[in-house]
């Protein structure tokens, strides 16, 4: 697991369950706004339909050999849980080489220790978000 | 009823006017000792971003559903859920939430399974309160827990099981899902997660009335006259009908249940909470695809289910 993501997982795991929700809310608040080139072009974003509330994301893969990945997310303020999940993935994965993102374990979302507090149904939305990121990265690097 | 009912012209036309309170009423009564305000949202963190001062959070999934069996919590757990929020058996509970009170109506329906008498909805919910510029806070209120009696859940009068629905044919069914779910084109709402339903379509003879039609633009319930037009003229319900409403997991249909039961005064209305995630996976139950209700099969009295 990439170090920047492992650090977030550790932060969650070292907390009591109720504090984990607070931390997720902090993440929700710090999700970066879309940059101008995407904010005006919603058609460049892809919707993750598995999330309970609307979430849109876009992936840009840079030059070889590193192929650093830029992640962009958009979710409304009325969906703080979705924003929180997106923000965790942004802070944990943004800027990493494509190969490192593809190597992230699919069950990493279970390791945040949120399943009981948030419900398994809602955690599936976060797993779907990671799955979608990996699929988009895979498609962008396959060429 | 500890707290007085609100008097206004719109509510007075409903069958049970006191089941609703307006944002003004709530603003005037916040802090009353016999009133507890609960927020029930789809998103489990929305309450934390800011809520009505003094309101407590209740979550449909983590508080009201049994974590193991697909069922609601039992009487003992409900007593703990209510008591820990300072709710006694006679407390007036006002519930509000996001999305035109969709999840608030679901929580209200579960309170009603336990026979909690005085539970009301805030007309217009969270969005109207915010749109009117009323105060929100992130401060969590201190609660003095009280004793809530352990009351056995009484499902019979307002909850339908799959066997009840198979025995219900010949009586009206209302499908409150989106038109795409009703026709079988999709098994979940547009833009919502697929939750593993094997078949698409609707229960034979069910009439499609998407739940959101009962709400006006500002999230408040439509007037009695508007609701009569939708459910009686268009959907064909008549006074005295025995009605079952369903959706995907029983939350949207709680909203319609509230409308039929308390605003239009149908006495026999049940919410089939198994809904499409049960029916669409059940073996050998009849299904109709497309936009027409289809005809009701013969009932299967005695052969099925609970």
């Amino acid at each position: 697991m990439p170090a920047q993501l492992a650090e977030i997982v550790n932060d969650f795991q070292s907390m009591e369950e109720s504090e984990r929700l607070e931390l997720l809310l902090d993440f929700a608040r710090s999700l970066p706004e879309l940059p101008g080139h995407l904010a005006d072009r919603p058609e460049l974003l892809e919707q993750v339909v598995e999330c309970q509330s609307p979430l849109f994301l876009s992936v840009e893969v840079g030059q070889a050999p590193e192929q650093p990945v830029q992640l962009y997310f958009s979710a409304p303020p009325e969906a703080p849980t979705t924003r929180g999940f997106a923000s965790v993935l942004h802070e944990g994965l943004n800027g990493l080489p494509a190969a490192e993102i593809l190597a992230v374990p699919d069950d990493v979302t279970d390791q945040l220790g949120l399943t009981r507090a948030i419900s398994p149904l809602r955690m599936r939305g976060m797993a779907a978000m990671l799955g979608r990121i990996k699929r988009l990265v895979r498609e962008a690097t396959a060429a | 009823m500890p707290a007085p009912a609100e008097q206004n012209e719109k509510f007075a036309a409903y069958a049970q006017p006191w089941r609703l309170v307006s944002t003004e009423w709530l603003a005037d009564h916040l802090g009353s000792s016999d009133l507890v305000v609960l927020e029930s949202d789809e998103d489990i963190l929305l309450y934390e971003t800011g809520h009505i001062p003094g309101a407590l959070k209740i979550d449909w999934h983590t508080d009201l559903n049994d974590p193991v069996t697909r069922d609601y919590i039992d009487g003992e757990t409900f007593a703990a859920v209510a008591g820990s929020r300072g709710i006694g058996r006679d407390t007036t509970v006002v519930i509000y939430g996001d999305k035109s009170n969709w999840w608030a109506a679901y929580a209200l329906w579960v309170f009603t399974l336990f026979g909690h008498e005085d539970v009301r909805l805030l007309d217009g919910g969270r969005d109207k309160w915010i749109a009117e510029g009323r105060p929100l806070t992130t401060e969590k209120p201190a609660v003095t827990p009280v004793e809530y009696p352990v009351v056995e859940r009484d499902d019979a009068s307002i909850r339908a099981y799959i066997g009840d629905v198979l025995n219900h044919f010949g009586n009206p069914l209302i499908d409150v899902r989106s038109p795409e779910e009703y026709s079988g084109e999709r098994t979940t709402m547009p833009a919502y997660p697929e939750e593993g339903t094997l078949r698409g379509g609707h229960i034979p003879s069910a009439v499609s009335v998407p739940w959101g039609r009962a709400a006006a633009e500002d999230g408040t319930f439509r007037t009695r006259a508007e609701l009569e037009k939708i459910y009686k003229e268009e959907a064909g319900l008549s006074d005295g009908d025995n009605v079952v409403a369903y959706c995907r997991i029983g939350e949207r249909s709680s909203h319609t249940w509230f409308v039929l039961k308390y605003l239009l005064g149908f006495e026999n209305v049940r919410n089939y909470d198994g809904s499409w995630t049960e029916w669409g996976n059940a073996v050998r139950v009849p299904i109709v695809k497309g936009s027409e209700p289809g005809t009701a099969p013969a009932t299967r009295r005695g052969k099925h289910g609970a």
Side-chain angles (χ1 to χ4, degrees):
Chain A
M1 197 190 305
Q4 64 194 63
L5 183 59
E7 197 176 317
I8 297 172
V9 170
N10 279 337
D11 286 347
F12 273 96
Q13 285 181 349
S14 63
M15 287 180 169
E16 298 288 319
E17 203 162 74
S18 59
E19 294 173 333
R20 290 176 193 160
L21 284 182
E22 292 293 329
L23 181 58
L24 189 64
L25 189 61
D26 288 341
F27 272 102
R29 293 194 178 107
S30 63
L31 180 67
E33 296 283 322
L34 284 178
H37 75 283
L38 287 174
D40 306 331
R41 303 274 311 274
E43 71 278 9
L44 294 178
L45 296 162
E46 187 167 319
Q47 181 166 15
V48 181
V49 294
E50 292 87 349
C51 290
Q52 201 170 36
S53 300
L55 173 88
F56 294 87
L57 78 87
S58 181
V59 166
E60 290 171 5
V61 179
Q63 294 297 313
E66 281 281 290
Q67 295 187 303
V69 175
Q70 291 296 317
L71 300 171
Y72 304 100
F73 297 94
S74 172
E78 301 77 42
T81 303
T82 299
R83 287 179 65 87
F85 291 159
S87 182
V88 165
L89 292 173
H90 186 267
E91 199 171 313
L93 302 177
N94 193 51
L96 292 177
E100 278 193 49
I101 290 182
L102 292 176
V104 170
D106 289 332
D107 65 351
V108 71
T109 53
D110 296 336
Q111 296 175 32
L112 298 173
L114 285 165
T115 305
R116 202 170 60 175
I118 295 263
S119 87
L121 178 76
R122 289 167 170 136
M123 288 310 296
R124 282 214 293 274
M126 188 180 188
M129 224 182 268
L130 175 62
R132 185 67 68 95
I133 290 167
K134 289 168 87 168
R135 202 195 80 203
L136 289 172
V137 169
R138 207 174 290 124
E139 285 170 4
T141 53
Chain B
M1 272 174 276
E6 175 169 3
Q7 309 289 335
N8 71 47
E9 204 180 322
K10 180 192 170 193
F11 294 173
Y14 293 134
Q16 294 192 24
W18 65 271
R19 293 289 178 180
L20 288 174
V21 303
S22 67
T23 47
E24 293 84 349
W25 185 97
L26 186 59
D28 290 344
H29 288 77
L30 281 181
S32 304
S33 58
D34 49 7
L35 170 72
V36 172
V37 183
L38 297 178
E39 176 162 339
S40 172
D41 298 317
E42 177 173 283
D43 192 298
I44 193 166
L45 284 177
L46 190 55
Y47 168 90
E48 277 81 0
T49 67
H51 53 83
I52 294 178
L56 298 163
K57 172 164 106 169
I58 192 156
D59 183 61
W60 64 278
H61 205 103
T62 57
D63 289 321
L64 299 176
N65 273 289
D66 185 280
V68 180
T69 310
R70 182 172 171 190
D71 199 0
Y72 299 97
I73 51 176
D74 61 14
E76 211 164 306
T77 312
F78 183 76
V81 165
S84 66
R85 286 166 176 78
I87 298 169
R89 190 67 172 162
D90 297 324
T91 303
T92 297
V93 178
V94 170
I95 310 182
Y96 73 97
D98 59 351
K99 309 201 168 181
S100 307
N101 278 328
W102 163 355
W103 305 89
Y106 189 48
L108 180 142
W109 180 74
V110 176
F111 268 68
T112 309
L113 288 174
F114 291 96
H116 190 95
E117 178 59 20
D118 192 357
V119 55
R120 317 177 187 188
L121 287 182
L122 172 66
D123 196 25
R126 179 182 165 93
D127 288 346
K128 184 157 192 278
W129 182 273
I130 293 173
E132 291 170 348
R134 296 180 189 274
L136 293 180
T137 180
T138 54
E139 203 172 301
K140 285 187 187 161
V143 187
T144 311
V146 300
E147 280 292 313
Y148 193 94
V150 174
V151 181
E152 280 313 303
R153 216 178 58 218
D154 177 15
D155 290 347
S157 56
I158 63 166
R159 184 181 184 195
Y161 304 140
I162 189 167
D164 299 327
V165 179
L166 287 162
N167 289 335
H168 184 80
F169 287 127
N171 293 296
L173 279 155
I174 304 282
D175 183 318
V176 314
R177 299 172 301 158
S178 61
E180 295 83 1
E181 293 169 271
Y182 180 81
S183 68
E185 197 181 313
R186 299 185 48 93
T187 53
T188 57
M189 280 169 286
Y192 269 68
E194 289 287 340
E195 280 172 353
T197 307
L198 294 173
R199 291 290 187 267
H202 56 267
I203 301 176
S205 78
V207 176
S208 168
V209 186
W211 72 278
R213 292 197 60 200
E217 297 290 303
D218 62 356
T220 57
F221 286 101
R222 293 198 178 278
T223 63
R224 173 93 188 232
E226 291 168 332
L227 295 174
E228 299 256 352
K229 191 168 181 305
I230 295 168
Y231 293 96
K232 291 186 172 172
E233 281 179 43
E234 291 179 34
L237 297 182
S238 308
D239 289 332
D241 273 349
N242 175 5
V243 189
V244 167
Y246 71 94
C247 57
R248 182 180 49 108
I249 56 171
E251 12 68 80
R252 283 173 286 177
S253 42
S254 299
H255 189 273
T256 299
W257 171 86
F258 181 89
V259 168
L260 295 177
K261 177 102 179 164
Y262 295 137
L263 305 187
L264 290 178
F266 285 90
E267 279 184 26
N268 295 312
V269 191
R270 284 172 296 167
N271 178 23
Y272 169 39
D273 60 279
S275 277
W276 199 255
T277 51
E278 179 175 52
W279 195 274
N281 284 321
V283 174
R284 299 188 76 230
V285 299
I287 289 174
V288 171
K289 288 187 89 87
S291 57
E292 293 302 316
T295 50
T299 59
R300 296 196 195 167
R301 200 170 300 279
K303 287 186 188 166
H304 256 276

